[in-house]
Coordinates of all heavy atoms in Angstrom, one line a residue:
S170 N -11.9 7.6 21.6 CA -13.1 7.9 22.5 C -12.9 9.3 23.2 O -11.9 10.0 23.0 CB -13.0 6.9 23.7 OG -11.9 7.0 24.3
A171 N -14.0 9.7 23.8 CA -14.0 11.0 24.5 C -12.8 11.0 25.6 O -12.3 12.0 25.8 CB -15.5 11.3 25.1
D172 N -12.8 9.8 26.2 CA -11.7 9.7 27.3 C -10.4 10.0 26.7 O -9.5 10.7 27.3 CB -11.6 8.3 27.9 CG -12.7 8.2 29.0 OD1 -13.2 9.2 29.5 OD2 -13.0 7.0 29.3
A173 N -10.0 9.4 25.7 CA -8.7 9.5 25.0 C -8.4 10.9 24.6 O -7.4 11.5 24.8 CB -8.6 8.6 23.7
L174 N -9.6 11.6 23.9 CA -9.4 13.0 23.8 C -9.3 13.9 24.9 O -8.3 14.7 24.9 CB -10.7 13.5 22.9 CG -10.8 14.8 22.5 CD1 -9.7 15.2 21.6 CD2 -12.2 15.1 21.8
A175 N -10.0 13.5 26.0 CA -9.9 14.3 27.1 C -8.4 14.2 28.0 O -7.9 15.3 28.2 CB -10.9 13.9 28.3
S176 N -7.8 13.1 27.7 CA -6.5 13.0 28.4 C -5.5 13.8 27.6 O -4.7 14.2 28.2 CB -6.2 11.5 28.6 OG -5.9 10.8 27.3
R177 N -5.7 13.8 26.3 CA -4.6 14.5 25.5 C -5.0 16.0 25.6 O -3.9 16.7 25.6 CB -4.8 14.0 24.0 CG -4.2 12.6 23.8 CD -4.9 11.8 22.6 NE -4.2 10.7 22.4 CZ -4.4 9.5 23.0 NH1 -5.2 9.4 24.0 NH2 -3.8 8.4 22.6
I178 N -6.1 16.3 25.7 CA -6.5 17.9 25.9 C -5.8 18.3 27.2 O -5.2 19.4 27.3 CB -7.9 18.1 25.9 CG1 -8.6 18.0 24.5 CG2 -8.3 19.6 26.3 CD1 -10.0 18.0 24.5
T179 N -5.9 17.4 28.1 CA -5.5 17.9 29.6 C -4.0 17.8 29.5 O -3.4 18.8 30.1 CB -5.9 16.8 30.6 OG1 -7.3 16.7 30.5 CG2 -5.6 17.1 32.0
D180 N -3.4 16.7 28.9 CA -1.9 16.7 28.9 C -1.3 17.9 28.2 O -0.3 18.3 28.9 CB -1.5 15.3 28.2 CG 0.0 15.1 28.6 OD1 0.2 14.8 29.8 OD2 1.0 15.1 27.6
C181 N -1.8 18.4 27.3 CA -1.1 19.5 26.5 C -1.8 20.8 26.8 O -1.5 21.8 26.2 CB -0.8 19.2 25.1 SG -2.3 19.1 24.1
E182 N -2.7 20.7 27.7 CA -3.6 22.1 28.1 C -4.0 22.9 26.9 O -3.6 24.0 26.7 CB -2.6 22.8 29.0 CG -2.3 22.3 30.3 CD -1.3 23.1 31.0 OE1 -0.1 22.9 30.9 OE2 -1.6 23.9 31.9
A183 N -4.8 22.2 26.1 CA -5.4 22.8 25.0 C -6.7 23.6 25.3 O -7.5 23.2 26.0 CB -5.8 21.9 23.9
H184 N -6.8 24.9 24.9 CA -7.8 25.9 25.2 C -8.8 25.8 24.0 O -10.0 26.3 24.2 CB -7.4 27.2 25.5 CG -6.5 27.3 26.8 ND1 -7.0 26.9 28.0 CD2 -5.3 27.8 26.8 CE1 -5.9 27.0 28.8 NE2 -5.0 27.6 28.2
V185 N -8.4 25.3 23.0 CA -9.3 25.4 21.8 C -9.2 24.0 21.1 O -8.2 23.3 21.0 CB -8.9 26.4 20.7 CG1 -9.7 26.2 19.5 CG2 -9.1 27.8 21.3
V186 N -10.5 23.4 20.8 CA -10.6 22.2 20.0 C -11.4 22.5 18.7 O -12.3 23.2 18.7 CB -11.5 21.2 20.8 CG1 -11.6 19.8 20.1 CG2 -10.9 21.1 22.2
I187 N -10.7 21.9 17.6 CA -11.3 22.0 16.3 C -11.9 20.7 15.9 O -11.2 19.7 16.1 CB -10.3 22.5 15.3 CG1 -9.6 23.7 15.7 CG2 -11.0 22.7 13.9 CD1 -8.5 24.3 14.7
T188 N -13.1 20.6 15.5 CA -13.8 19.3 15.3 C -14.7 19.5 14.1 O -14.8 20.5 13.5 CB -14.5 18.7 16.4 OG1 -14.9 17.4 16.3 CG2 -15.6 19.5 17.0
S189 N -15.6 18.4 13.8 CA -16.8 18.7 12.9 C -18.0 17.9 13.5 O -17.8 17.3 14.6 CB -16.4 18.0 11.5 OG -16.4 16.6 11.8
D190 N -19.1 18.2 13.0 CA -20.2 17.6 13.4 C -20.2 16.0 13.5 O -20.5 15.3 14.4 CB -21.5 17.9 12.7 CG -21.5 18.0 11.3 OD1 -20.5 17.7 10.8 OD2 -22.4 18.4 10.6
G191 N -19.5 15.6 12.3 CA -19.3 14.1 12.3 C -18.4 13.8 11.0 O -17.9 14.7 10.4
G192 N -18.4 12.6 10.6 CA -17.6 12.1 9.4 C -18.3 10.9 8.8 O -19.5 10.5 9.5
Y193 N -18.0 10.6 7.7 CA -18.6 9.4 7.2 C -17.7 8.0 7.4 O -16.4 8.1 7.2 CB -18.8 9.4 5.7 CG -20.0 10.5 5.4 CD1 -19.6 11.9 5.2 CD2 -21.2 10.1 5.3 CE1 -20.8 12.6 5.0 CE2 -22.3 10.9 5.1 CZ -22.0 12.3 5.0 OH -23.0 13.2 4.8
R194 N -18.5 7.0 7.9 CA -17.7 5.8 8.0 C -18.7 4.6 7.5 O -19.7 4.5 8.0 CB -17.4 5.6 9.7 CG -16.5 4.5 9.7 CD -15.8 4.3 11.1 NE -15.2 5.5 11.5 CZ -14.9 5.8 12.8 NH1 -15.5 5.1 13.7 NH2 -14.3 7.0 13.3
R195 N -18.1 4.0 6.7 CA -18.7 2.8 6.0 C -20.0 3.3 5.5 O -21.0 2.6 5.8 CB -18.8 1.6 6.9 CG -17.4 1.0 7.3 CD -17.5 -0.4 7.7 NE -16.1 -0.8 8.1 CZ -15.6 -0.8 9.3 NH1 -16.4 -0.4 10.3 NH2 -14.4 -1.2 9.5
G196 N -20.1 4.3 4.8 CA -21.3 4.8 4.1 C -22.4 5.6 4.9 O -23.2 6.2 4.4
A197 N -22.0 5.7 6.4 CA -23.0 6.3 7.1 C -22.3 7.4 8.0 O -21.2 7.3 8.3 CB -23.8 5.3 8.1
P198 N -23.1 8.5 8.2 CA -22.5 9.5 9.0 C -22.3 9.1 10.4 O -23.1 8.2 10.9 CB -23.7 10.7 9.1 CG -24.7 10.3 8.1 CD -24.6 8.8 7.8
S199 N -21.3 9.5 11.0 CA -20.9 9.0 12.3 C -20.5 10.3 13.1 O -19.6 11.1 12.7 CB -19.8 8.0 12.2 OG -18.9 8.0 13.3
A200 N -21.1 10.6 14.3 CA -20.9 11.8 15.0 C -19.6 11.9 15.6 O -19.0 10.9 16.1 CB -22.0 11.9 16.0
L201 N -19.1 13.1 15.8 CA -17.8 13.5 16.4 C -18.0 14.5 17.6 O -17.5 14.3 18.6 CB -16.8 14.1 15.5 CG -16.0 13.2 14.7 CD1 -15.1 13.9 13.7 CD2 -15.3 12.2 15.4
K202 N -18.9 15.4 17.4 CA -19.2 16.5 18.2 C -19.7 16.0 19.7 O -19.1 16.5 20.6 CB -20.3 17.4 17.7 CG -20.7 18.6 18.6 CD -19.7 19.7 18.7 CE -20.2 21.0 19.4 NZ -21.1 21.0 20.5
P203 N -20.5 15.0 19.8 CA -20.7 14.6 21.2 C -19.6 14.0 21.9 O -19.5 14.4 23.1 CB -21.7 13.2 21.0 CG -22.2 13.5 19.6 CD -21.2 14.4 18.8
A204 N -18.7 13.4 21.3 CA -17.2 13.0 22.0 C -16.5 14.2 22.4 O -15.9 14.2 23.6 CB -16.5 12.0 21.1
V205 N -16.6 15.3 21.7 CA -15.8 16.5 22.1 C -16.6 16.9 23.3 O -15.9 17.5 24.3 CB -15.9 17.4 21.0 CG1 -15.1 18.8 21.4 CG2 -15.1 16.8 19.8
D206 N -17.9 17.1 23.2 CA -18.7 17.7 24.4 C -18.3 17.0 25.5 O -18.1 17.6 26.6 CB -20.2 17.7 24.1 CG -20.6 18.6 22.9 OD1 -19.8 19.5 22.6 OD2 -21.7 18.3 22.4
E207 N -18.2 15.7 25.5 CA -18.0 14.8 26.7 C -16.7 15.1 27.2 O -16.4 15.3 28.4 CB -18.2 13.4 26.3 CG -18.4 12.4 27.5 CD -18.5 10.9 26.9 OE1 -19.1 10.7 26.0 OE2 -17.9 10.1 27.7
A208 N -15.7 15.1 26.3 CA -14.3 15.4 26.7 C -14.1 16.7 27.3 O -13.4 16.8 28.3 CB -13.3 15.3 25.4
V209 N -14.8 17.8 26.7 CA -14.7 19.1 27.2 C -15.2 19.1 28.7 O -14.6 19.8 29.6 CB -15.3 20.1 26.3 CG1 -15.5 21.5 27.0 CG2 -14.5 20.2 25.1
E210 N -16.3 18.4 28.9 CA -16.9 18.4 30.3 C -15.7 17.8 31.3 O -15.7 18.4 32.3 CB -18.2 17.4 30.3 CG -19.3 18.1 29.7 CD -19.6 19.6 30.2 OE1 -19.5 19.8 31.4 OE2 -19.8 20.5 29.4
K211 N -15.2 16.8 30.8 CA -14.2 16.1 31.7 C -13.0 16.9 31.9 O -12.2 16.5 32.8 CB -13.7 14.7 31.0 CG -14.6 13.6 31.1 CD -14.0 12.4 30.4 CE -15.0 11.4 29.9 NZ -15.6 10.5 30.7
T212 N -12.7 17.9 31.2 CA -11.5 18.7 31.4 C -11.7 20.0 32.2 O -10.9 20.9 32.2 CB -10.8 19.0 30.0 OG1 -11.8 19.6 29.1 CG2 -10.3 17.7 29.4
G213 N -12.8 20.0 32.7 CA -13.2 21.4 33.5 C -13.3 22.5 32.8 O -13.9 22.6 31.8
D214 N -12.5 23.6 33.2 CA -12.7 24.9 32.5 C -11.6 25.0 31.4 O -11.4 26.2 30.8 CB -12.5 26.0 33.5 CG -13.6 26.0 34.6 OD1 -14.7 25.5 34.1 OD2 -13.3 26.5 35.6
L215 N -10.8 24.0 31.1 CA -9.7 24.2 30.3 C -10.1 24.7 28.8 O -9.5 25.7 28.3 CB -9.0 22.8 30.1 CG -7.5 22.8 29.7 CD1 -6.8 23.7 30.7 CD2 -7.1 21.3 29.7
V216 N -11.2 24.1 28.3 CA -11.4 24.4 26.8 C -12.4 25.7 26.8 O -13.4 25.6 27.4 CB -12.0 23.3 26.2 CG1 -12.3 23.6 24.7 CG2 -11.0 22.1 26.1
R217 N -11.8 26.6 26.0 CA -12.5 28.0 25.9 C -13.5 27.8 24.8 O -14.6 28.4 24.8 CB -11.5 29.0 25.8 CG -11.9 30.5 25.9 CD -10.6 31.4 25.8 NE -10.0 31.3 24.5 CZ -8.7 31.0 24.3 NH1 -7.9 30.9 25.5 NH2 -8.2 30.9 23.1

Side-chain angles (χ1 to χ4, degrees):
S170 65
D172 275 342
L174 176 60
S176 70
R177 287 154 173 79
I178 291 174
T179 307
D180 192 69
C181 70
E182 295 173 274
H184 297 303
V185 170
V186 181
I187 309 178
T188 187
S189 68
D190 49 358
Y193 286 91
R194 192 165 305 156
R195 300 207 178 91
S199 148
L201 280 176
K202 174 80 168 33
V205 176
D206 292 341
E207 200 185 321
V209 166
E210 285 312 315
K211 281 185 205 276
T212 53
D214 294 335
L215 201 55
V216 176
R217 193 175 62 229

